[in-house]
C-alpha cells in the first residue's frame, strides 16, 4: 500500500500565514494538517470568547481557507486542523458558509466534546477547561467522507494519527502502528522546527532564511519518512528530527489518549537528501485518565525595566530597587527583581555599556500594579541614579492567566464526531488501558554506553559537542540534549548528571530535576519541575517558556575530552 503523505502548515497560532498555499502548491499531498493550539493559546481564545461568544477559534485559519479552500479541493487534499479551539462548531459553520459562497463542494465535519466548562462540581472558576481528545473522532469524520475536519483541543499528534488510522484501517489496539504515527505527528506538530528552524547548529543549515514545512510519508505499519517539498529552504536530517523529537517531552513513555508511545524504541536513519526514516516505535495501551488543560485568570501584572549605564551598576541597581520598594504602597502581592549584566567595560557604544534591571509586579487588584506602580516608578526619574531611564514608558496593568493540568477518568469525557451531514457519533473511550504508575509493563533498563577512556580535557562550551532543544509544559521546563557522535554520547551520558545539570543551571538548584536517557537517539532529557512557576502566562522569568534554556546550557563550560574537540 502506498504511503500516506501528510504535511503540516502551522505549528502555532501566528505561524507563517502563507504556509498553507506553499504546502498545497509545493508538491503532492494527501492530507494537510494545522496545529494552532497551545496552553497559552487556549487562554487567549478564552479571553476572546469572553468578549464575544461567537469567537474562540483561530481566525487566521479562516483567512487561510478564504485563500486556499478551493485549491485544496482541486488538488484532492484533505484538511485536518485543531483551529476550532474553543468553538469548533462555529468555525465549521464559517467554513460551510465560505464554501457555499465560493461554490466549492466540500464536506465539512467537526469534533467536539473537549470543552468541559460547566461540568457540574468541577473547576467553577476556570476560564477554559478542555480535555485532550484523541484521533478516533477525526477518523470517524474521514470515514464518513469529510474533506475538512475541524477539532477543538485534541493532542497535537492526533491530527496525524486520525488520518493515518482512517487510511490504513487501523484498529484501536494496533499499538505499534499508532505509536509510529504518534511519533510522526510529534515531529510534524511544530512546523519548521523539524526542518532546521530553531536548530542548535543553524549555521550548517542550507538556505535557512525560509525553512519549508515538514511532510511525513506514513507506511501501513506506522513507520514514516520525514521530508519536505523539493526546492524549499531548510533541511531534514537525523539531527533536525532528533531535536524536534526531544521537544516538550518528559520520560521515555509518552502517554496520549490513543496510545502510550515508547520514545526509547524509536530509531532514526538518513534515507537520502532531506529524508529521515523513523521506525521501531513500540506502543502500549493509553492511560485510564484524560488530561485536561485548565486556565483561569490569576490577577494582574505590570513591569518596568530600568537601564543602568556605565560605572557602579550594582550600586545603581540597589538604589533604584530600594527607592521603588519604599514607594510601592500598598505593596503588590508578588515583586520580582532581576539584574541582567549585559554591560561591557570601556564599551564603544552606550548600549553596550548598559545593564538592565527589571521589576515585575503581580496582584489581584489592577490598581495596585497599574497607576500606583507606574506612578511610583516615574516619580524616581529626577531623584535616583545618574543616567536614569527605562526601556519603555509605564503602562496600565494587564490580566494574566494561570495554567494547571487535571485528569479525569476517560469515561467522563464525551467525544463526539459531527459528520458532514450533521449526524452525531459518540466515540467510546478505549476498552483497554494501562496506568503508567501501576499496571504498565516495567520500563526498559537505562543502558548507558561504556565511558570514554581517561585522557586530556579542555574547558569548553557544552554546545561544541551537543545540541539542545527546550520548552515548557505548564510550570515545568524540559531540556533535551543529543550528542553529535557516538563517542560524544559515551561522554555525555556519564558527564551530564543531575548534579552537574544543577551546577550549570543554577536556577534549578532548589527544584526537582529528573533525567531520562534515550540511548537510541544518543540523547538525555531533563525535566525541571516548577522552573516556570504557574506557566507561561504567569511566569516572571526572563524566558517564560524556556525556549532558550537549552541554548544557555550549551553555552556553559565544563571539562570536555580533547578527543571530542
Amino acid at each position: 500500500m502506498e504511503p500516506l503523505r501528510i504535511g503540516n502548515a502551522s505549528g502555532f497560532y501566528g505561524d507563517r500565514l502563507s504556509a498553507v498555499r506553499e504546502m498545497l502548491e509545493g508538491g503532492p499531498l494527501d492530507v494537510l494538517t494545522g496545529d494552532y493550539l497551545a496552553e497559552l493559546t487556549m487562554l487567549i481564545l478564552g479571553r476572546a470568547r469572553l468578549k464575544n461568544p461567537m469567537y474562540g477559534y483561530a481566525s487566521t485559519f479562516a483567512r487561510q481557507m478564504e485563500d486556499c479552500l478551493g485549491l485544496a479541493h482541486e488538488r484532492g487534499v484533505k484538511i485536518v486542523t485543531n483551529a476550532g479551539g474553543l468553538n469548533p462548531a462555529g468555525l465549521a459553520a464559517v467554513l460551510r458558509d465560505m464554501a457555499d459562497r465560493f461554490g466549492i463542494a466540500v464536506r465539512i465535519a467537526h469534533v467536539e466534546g473537549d470543552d468541559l466548562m460547566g461540568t457540574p462540581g468541577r473547576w467553577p472558576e476556570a476560564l477554559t477547561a478542555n480535555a485532550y481528545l484523541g484521533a478516533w473522532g477525526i477518523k470517524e469524520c474521514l470515514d464518513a467522507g469529510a474533506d475538512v475536519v475541524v477539532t477543538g483541543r485534541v493532542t497535537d499528534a492526533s491530527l496525524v494519527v486520525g488520518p493515518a488510522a482512517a487510511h490504513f484501517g487501523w484498529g484501536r489496539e494496533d499499538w505499534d502502528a499508532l505509536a509510529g504515527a504518534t511519533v510522526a505527528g510529534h515531529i510534524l506538530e511544530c512546523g519548521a522546527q523539524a526542518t532546521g528552524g530553531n536548530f542548535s547548529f543553524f549555521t550548517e543549515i542550507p538556505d535557512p532564511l525560509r525553512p519549508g514545512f515538514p511532510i511525513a510519508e506514513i507506511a501501513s505499519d506506522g513507520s514514516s519518512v520525514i521530508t519536505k517539498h523539493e526546492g524549499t529552504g531548510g533541511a531534514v536530517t537525523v539531527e533536525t528530527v532528533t531535536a524536534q523529537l526531544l521537544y516538550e517531552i518528559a520520560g521515555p513513555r509518552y502517554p496520549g489518549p490513543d496510545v502510550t508511545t515508547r520514545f526509547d524504541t524509536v530509531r532514526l536513519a538518513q534515507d537520502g537528501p532531506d529524508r529521515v526514516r523513523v521506525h521501531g516505535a513500540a506502543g502500549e495501551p493509553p492511560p485510564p485518565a484524560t488530561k485536561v488543560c485548565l486556565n483561569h485568570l490569576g490577577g494582574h501584572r505590570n513591569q518596568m525595566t530600568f537601564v543602568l549605564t556605565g560605572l557602579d551598576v550594582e550600586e545603581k541597581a540597589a538604589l533604584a530597587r530600594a527607592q521603588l520598594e519604599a514607594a510601592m504602597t500598598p505593596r503588590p502581592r508578588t515583586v520580582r527583581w532581576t539584574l541582567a549584566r549585559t554591560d561591557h567595560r570601556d564599551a564603544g557604544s552606550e548600549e553596550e555599556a548598559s545593564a538592565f534591571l527589571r521589576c515585575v509586579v503581580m496582584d489581584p487588584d489592577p490598581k495596585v500594579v497599574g497607576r500606583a506602580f507606574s506612578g511610583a516608578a516615574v516619580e524616581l526619574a529626577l531623584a535616583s541614579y545618574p543616567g536614569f531611564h527605562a526601556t519603555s514608558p509605564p503602562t496600565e496593568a494587564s490580566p494574566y492567566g494561570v495554567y494547571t493540568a487535571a485528569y479525569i477518568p476517560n469515561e467522563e469525557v464525551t467525544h463526539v464526531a459531527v459528520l458532514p451531514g450533521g449526524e452525531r457519533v459518540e466515540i467510546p473511550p478505549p476498552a483497554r488501558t494501562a496506568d503508567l504508575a501501576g499496571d504498565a509493563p516495567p520500563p526498559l533498563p537505562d543502558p548507558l554506553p561504556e565511558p570514554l577512556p581517561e585522557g586530556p580535557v579542555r574547558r569548553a562550551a557544552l554546545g561544541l559537542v551537543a545540541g539542545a532543544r527546550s520548552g515548557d509544559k505548564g510550570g515545568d521546563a524540559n531540556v533535551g540534549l543529543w550528542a553529535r557522535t557516538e563517542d560524544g554520547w559515551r561522554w555525555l551520558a556519564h558527564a551530564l548528571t543531575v548534579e552537574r545539570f544543577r551546577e550549570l543551571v543554577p536556577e534549578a538548584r532548589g527544584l526537582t530535576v529528573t533525567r531520562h536517557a534515550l540511548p537510541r537517539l544518543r540523547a538525555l532529557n531533563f525535566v525541571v519541575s516548577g522552573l516556570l512557576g504557574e506557566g507561561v502566562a504567569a511566569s516572571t522569568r526572563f524566558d517564560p517558556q524556556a525556549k532558550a534554556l537549552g541554548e544557555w546550557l550549551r553555552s556553559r563550560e565544563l571539562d570536555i575530552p580533547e578527543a571530542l574537540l
Side-chain angles (χ1 to χ4, degrees):
M1 197 171 184
E2 287 293 310
L4 182 69
R5 286 177 60 89
I6 302 180
N8 177 36
S10 177
F12 72 104
Y13 191 14
D15 212 340
R16 190 190 306 167
L17 198 63
S18 61
V20 170
R21 176 166 287 277
E22 291 171 18
M23 290 298 286
L24 291 172
E25 293 182 339
L29 285 178
D30 300 306
V31 180
L32 184 62
T33 66
D35 177 15
Y36 293 79
L37 302 184
E39 293 156 358
L40 178 61
T41 312
M42 302 304 284
L43 175 66
I44 293 170
L45 295 178
R47 291 174 61 184
R49 187 171 62 176
L50 283 178
K51 297 177 182 177
N52 187 332
M54 297 301 293
Y55 295 160
Y57 57 81
S59 58
T60 52
F61 174 76
R63 289 169 57 195
Q64 289 168 315
M65 289 299 98
E66 285 269 1
D67 178 50
C68 294
L69 184 61
L71 178 62
H73 181 59
E74 288 171 13
R75 304 213 167 193
V77 178
K78 294 183 181 292
I79 305 288
V80 179
T81 179
N82 60 15
L86 300 176
N87 189 6
L91 179 56
V94 168
L95 295 177
R96 290 190 191 96
D97 289 344
M98 186 186 301
D100 290 344
R101 192 167 74 248
F102 294 158
I104 305 170
V106 294
R107 293 165 59 82
I108 297 167
H110 73 275
V111 177
E112 58 186 42
D114 63 295
D115 193 344
L116 303 181
M117 288 293 290
T119 303
R122 291 190 188 272
W123 318 302
E125 297 182 0
L127 176 63
T128 69
N130 294 83
Y132 285 81
L133 303 181
W136 302 101
I138 296 171
K139 178 181 183 298
E140 190 74 31
C141 293
L142 293 171
D143 286 345
D147 302 301
V148 178
V149 181
V150 173
T151 78
R153 177 73 277 184
V154 300
T155 65
D156 303 339
S158 293
L159 298 174
V160 170
V161 177
H167 183 76
F168 295 114
W170 295 336
R172 297 190 65 160
E173 296 192 2
D174 288 329
W175 308 124
D176 290 350
L178 295 170
T182 297
V183 171
H186 182 71
I187 294 168
L188 263 57
E189 69 185 49
C190 288
Q193 279 195 170
T195 60
N198 300 354
F199 182 58
S200 288
F201 307 103
F202 67 98
T203 58
E204 300 174 9
I205 298 294
D207 191 12
L209 298 182
R210 197 175 177 86
F213 275 66
I215 298 166
E217 298 175 353
I218 300 180
S220 59
D221 64 354
S223 64
S224 63
V225 171
I226 306 300
T227 185
K228 63 186 184 70
H229 283 320
E230 188 174 349
T232 56
V236 180
T237 70
V238 167
E239 287 194 276
T240 67
V241 173
T242 297
Q244 178 55 27
L245 277 176
L246 296 174
Y247 185 60
E248 296 184 345
I249 65 170
R253 278 194 170 91
Y254 188 78
D258 306 313
V259 62
T260 294
T261 302
R262 295 289 293 267
F263 271 46
D264 53 354
T265 62
V266 177
R267 295 182 182 273
L268 305 178
Q270 200 72 40
D271 195 45
D274 291 322
R275 294 179 64 82
V276 171
R277 177 167 157 71
V278 184
H279 61 107
E284 298 168 353
T290 297
K291 183 178 179 181
V292 181
C293 170
L294 300 175
N295 280 293
H296 65 271
L297 295 178
H300 294 78
R301 65 184 292 164
N302 206 344
Q303 71 176 53
M304 286 282 288
T305 301
F306 303 96
V307 183
L308 315 171
T309 303
L311 305 178
D312 306 319
V313 165
E314 298 285 345
E315 291 78 7
K316 289 172 180 174
L319 176 58
R321 179 169 178 169
Q323 289 178 310
L324 188 54
E325 288 274 3
M328 286 190 289
T329 305
R331 180 182 171 85
R333 183 182 65 185
T334 301
V335 180
R336 294 278 188 271
W337 292 91
T338 56
L339 174 61
R341 293 301 304 266
T342 54
D343 51 304
H344 298 268
R345 181 180 175 183
D346 191 23
S349 71
E350 181 179 333
E351 190 169 1
E352 290 179 341
S354 299
F356 298 94
L357 176 67
R358 187 169 67 110
C359 180
V360 180
V361 291
M362 306 168 78
D363 197 88
D365 186 348
K367 296 179 181 178
V368 171
V369 294
R371 293 181 181 177
F373 167 74
S374 295
V378 169
E379 288 174 0
L380 301 179
L382 302 182
S384 189
Y385 60 87
F388 181 102
H389 67 288
T391 58
S392 60
T395 62
E396 295 288 344
S398 60
Y400 71 89
V402 174
Y403 162 83
T404 55
Y407 295 86
I408 64 173
N410 294 335
E411 294 74 21
E412 295 186 21
V413 177
T414 303
H415 184 175
V416 177
V418 183
L419 306 185
E423 305 91 339
R424 301 176 63 84
V425 178
E426 188 166 332
I427 307 300
R432 185 177 162 204
T433 62
D435 190 337
L436 270 64
D439 52 5
L444 289 178
D446 191 11
L448 296 181
E450 285 293 317
L452 285 180
E454 293 290 332
V457 298
R458 182 175 6 128
R459 197 78 175 170
L462 175 61
L464 296 179
V465 297
R469 175 67 61 74
S470 58
D472 64 311
K473 296 297 284 184
D476 300 341
N478 97 290
V479 186
L481 299 105
W482 74 92
R484 307 203 77 183
T485 65
E486 193 60 38
D487 280 349
W489 168 238
R490 291 175 63 188
W491 172 77
L492 183 71
H494 296 278
L496 197 57
T497 61
V498 168
E499 292 72 23
R500 180 61 59 81
F501 182 93
R502 286 198 177 103
E503 292 174 9
L504 299 174
V505 182
E507 290 178 80
R509 284 177 181 163
L511 303 173
T512 299
V513 178
T514 308
R515 182 183 112 146
H516 304 282
L518 298 164
R520 292 184 179 182
L521 300 176
R522 296 199 301 236
L524 300 173
N525 187 48
F526 292 87
V527 179
V528 188
S529 300
L531 182 71
L532 307 179
E534 295 178 296
V536 54
S539 178
T540 59
R541 193 175 180 275
F542 169 68
D543 174 18
Q545 290 183 281
K547 299 298 187 184
L549 181 60
E551 287 302 295
W552 175 33
L553 180 58
R554 291 182 65 240
S555 74
R556 299 306 308 271
E557 295 186 354
L558 65 170
D559 292 334
I560 299 176
E562 286 192 352
L564 300 179
L565 299 171

